[in-house]
């Protein structure tokens, strides 16, 4: 048995009060993060320096007493480890040397991935040692489509048309890229679990731009393969999938058999169609967190009340915004922890 509330929820228990953490809980909205960030040459150096990554991971846990730490890293460390040239530009986000799946696949090398990402696993091991036993450590990776989207496009995009046209033009070459990313992601998640991650989350941040057939072939099916691959080696580590913008097709992600599903801000938590024993995570609007006050309290209590009686993890429906006052995050955690009492529920 585990004494981690997050793990219990992911194994199907109804936990009261529900465990709580926030996507992008480490980051620039925290003054201590901004101070730490100055010590790194650039963002990748930050991710690959265990001392800095460990401290950034622990900062929000120390400040807010959350039920989980998420390893400070990025989904784009995988293409970096595959040999794609990239940089994180101030104010612009990631810029990558665009990959053409019809020409460039031979140049991507997955064999040395875990060696190149060794500092990430070292950071995970150090975080695990520093955490209280009841606090879960979450490892993560981008899902293959989302990572491929950045690799093909070379930067962030509103619609990822370059990447979507490539999958339509040459699905055979696209299969090669997605399969490579499936293998790399299984290795990367497994290594994080071996280093001490209790749970892993797959971020499918750009599920939103896929048509239904493409979502099935390039998002749900590869995620299913990753889950099978990770579970074969690590049957006890729960896997959360966060397919942002999947719309009514959110229900189809159950076929990949994750232990938990992250729900975005646009999807009603009580109308996902996902099985009642599958743990849901989400989905407070980050704008309400920025606003705080009574709006935050009312929305948080309503959200937790709606999820009573099923396995559930309180979280946002998208990452913490840069403009969020840290005190509002503290208030959010407090509202989640007292939601049961306030609605006349004894909990337990
Ligand atoms: O200089 C800085 O401080 C850069 C900001 C930043 C941070 C704090 C980036 C660049 N990455 C991160 C950390 C990060 N990224 C974490 C760990 C910290 C935590 O959650 O507390 C995680 C889980 C991610 C995941 C991530 N990176 C996603 C998936 C989640 C999502 O937001 O949809 C994506 C899409 C990325 C790519 C990325 N990295 C950084 C930026 C600015 C972006 C997004 C670019 C875009 O909008 O397309």
């Amino acid at each position: 048995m585990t004494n981690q509330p997050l793990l219990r929820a992911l194994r199907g228990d109804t936990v009261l009060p529900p465990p709580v953490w926030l996507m992008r809980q480490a980051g620039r909205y925290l003054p201590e993060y901004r101070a730490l960030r100055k010590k790194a040459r650039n963002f990748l150096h930050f991710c690959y320096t265990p001392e800095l990554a460990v401290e950034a991971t622990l900062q929000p846990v120390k400040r807010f007493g959350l039920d989980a730490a998420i390893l400070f890293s990025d989904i784009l460390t995988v293409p970096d480890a595959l040999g794609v040239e990239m940089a994180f530009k101030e104010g612009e986000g990631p810029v990558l040397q665009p990959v053409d799946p019809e020409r460039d696949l031979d140049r991507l090398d997955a064999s040395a991935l875990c060696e190149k990402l060794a500092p990430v696993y070292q950071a995970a091991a150090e975080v695990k040692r520093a955490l209280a036993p009841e606090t879960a450590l979450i490892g993560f990776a981008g899902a293959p489509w989302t990572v491929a989207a950045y690799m093909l496009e070379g930067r962030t995009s509103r619609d990822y048309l370059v990447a979507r046209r490539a999958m339509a033009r040459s699905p055979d070459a696209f299969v090669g890229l997605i399969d490579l990313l499936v293998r790399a992601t299984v290795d990367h998640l497994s290594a994080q679990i071996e280093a001490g991650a209790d749970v892993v989350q797959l971020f499918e941040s750009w599920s939103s731009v896929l048509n239904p057939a493409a979502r099935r072939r390039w998002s749900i099916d590869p995620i299913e393969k990753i889950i099978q691959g990770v579970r074969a080696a690590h049957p006890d580590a729960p896997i959360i999938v966060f397919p942002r913008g999947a719309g009514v097709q959110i229900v189809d992600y159950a076929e990949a058999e994750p232990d938990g599903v992250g729900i975005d801000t646009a999807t009603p938590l009580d109308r996902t169609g996902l099985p009642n024993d599958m743990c849901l995570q989400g989905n407070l609007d980050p704008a309400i967190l920025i606003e705080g006050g009574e709006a935050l309290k009312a929305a948080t209590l309503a959200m937790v009340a709606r999820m009573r009686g099923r396995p559930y993890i309180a979280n946002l429906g998208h990452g913490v915004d840069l403009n969020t006052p840290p005190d509002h995050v503290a208030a959010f955690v407090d509202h989640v922890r007292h939601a049961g009492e306030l609605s006349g529920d004894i909990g337990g």
Side-chain angles (χ1 to χ4, degrees), residues 24-28 33 37 43 70-76 88 94 140 150 156 160 203 205-206 244:
R24 291 285 183 106
Q25 63 191 24
R28 284 193 185 150
Y33 174 90
R37 178 77 173 76
F43 183 70
I70 180 160
L71 183 62
F72 190 84
S73 183
D74 198 83
I75 63 167
L76 298 177
F88 284 83
F140 71 92
Y150 285 100
T156 188
Y160 291 92
F203 286 91
S205 301
W206 300 112
R244 183 155 67 86

Side-chain angles (χ1 to χ4, degrees), residues 3-4 6 25 54-63 65-72 123-139 195-199:
N3 59 352
Q4 294 183 0
L6 189 92
Q25 63 191 24
V54 169
E55 184 54 30
T57 305
L58 295 175
Q59 282 176 344
V61 180
K62 286 181 187 159
R63 195 193 254 258
L66 301 157
D67 291 292
I70 180 160
L71 183 62
F72 190 84
E126 287 177 25
V127 169
K128 184 63 189 167
R129 278 196 289 276
L131 286 176
E134 64 273 16
T135 310
L137 174 59
I138 304 173
D198 301 290
V199 171

Side-chain angles (χ1 to χ4, degrees), residues 105-128:
L105 280 192
D106 294 347
R107 277 196 266 146
L108 303 176
D109 177 16
S111 64
L113 183 117
C114 288
E115 225 168 286
K116 286 192 185 158
L117 296 182
V120 174
Y121 313 132
Q122 189 187 326
E126 287 177 25
V127 169
K128 184 63 189 167

Side-chain angles (χ1 to χ4, degrees), residues 10-249:
L10 285 164
R11 288 179 183 160
D13 284 359
T14 301
V15 183
L16 280 173
V20 53
W21 68 282
L22 294 86
M23 289 189 286
R24 291 285 183 106
Q25 63 191 24
R28 284 193 185 150
Y29 76 103
L30 289 176
E32 59 268 37
Y33 174 90
R34 295 195 294 271
L36 188 66
R37 178 77 173 76
K38 290 192 187 122
K39 297 188 184 172
R41 246 182 289 131
N42 55 53
F43 183 70
L44 278 176
H45 176 246
F46 193 170
C47 293
Y48 295 150
T49 308
E51 191 191 332
L52 300 179
V54 169
E55 184 54 30
T57 305
L58 295 175
Q59 282 176 344
V61 180
K62 286 181 187 159
R63 195 193 254 258
F64 305 119
L66 301 157
D67 291 292
I70 180 160
L71 183 62
F72 190 84
S73 183
D74 198 83
I75 63 167
L76 298 177
T77 56
V78 166
D80 182 52
L82 292 173
V84 177
E85 262 178 64
M86 77 166 80
F88 284 83
K89 303 226 165 125
E90 219 55 54
E92 210 183 316
V95 181
L96 298 77
Q97 179 69 45
V99 169
D100 176 348
E102 289 180 89
R103 274 194 351 235
D104 301 335
L105 280 192
D106 294 347
R107 277 196 266 146
L108 303 176
D109 177 16
S111 64
L113 183 117
C114 288
E115 225 168 286
K116 286 192 185 158
L117 296 182
V120 174
Y121 313 132
Q122 189 187 326
E126 287 177 25
V127 169
K128 184 63 189 167
R129 278 196 289 276
L131 286 176
E134 64 273 16
T135 310
L137 174 59
I138 304 173
F140 71 92
W145 154 244
T146 291
V147 174
Y150 285 100
M151 290 170 78
L152 270 66
E153 209 82 23
R155 55 181 62 241
T156 188
S157 159
R158 204 156 30 99
D159 47 23
Y160 291 92
L161 264 181
V162 173
R164 285 156 61 207
R165 286 181 61 183
M167 67 172 62
R169 183 169 60 244
S170 47
D172 291 345
F174 207 76
V175 166
L177 177 59
I178 293 292
D179 282 351
L180 177 82
L181 288 170
V182 166
R183 288 194 300 278
T185 308
V186 169
D187 289 351
H188 185 45
L189 292 176
S190 298
Q192 291 177 69
I193 294 166
E194 283 151 29
D198 301 290
V199 171
V200 290
Q201 173 156 322
L202 276 168
F203 286 91
E204 187 71 290
S205 301
W206 300 112
S207 183
S208 51
V209 299
L210 295 171
N211 68 60
R215 188 174 285 120
R216 157 73 55 194
R217 183 167 184 195
W218 305 118
S219 177
I220 299 170
D221 290 351
I223 285 173
E224 181 174 359
K225 283 189 199 157
I226 291 171
I227 291 176
Q228 286 172 356
V230 173
R231 204 168 271 156
H234 301 286
D236 294 332
I239 303 167
I240 305 170
V241 173
F242 176 48
R244 183 155 67 86
V248 296
Q249 231 174 337

Side-chain angles (χ1 to χ4, degrees), residues 290-312:
I290 304 175
E291 220 29 55
E294 283 305 312
L296 174 61
K297 184 173 180 179
T300 306
L301 297 186
M303 176 176 86
V304 174
R306 198 161 290 139
M307 290 291 96
R308 265 173 57 174
R310 71 170 296 156
Y312 170 64

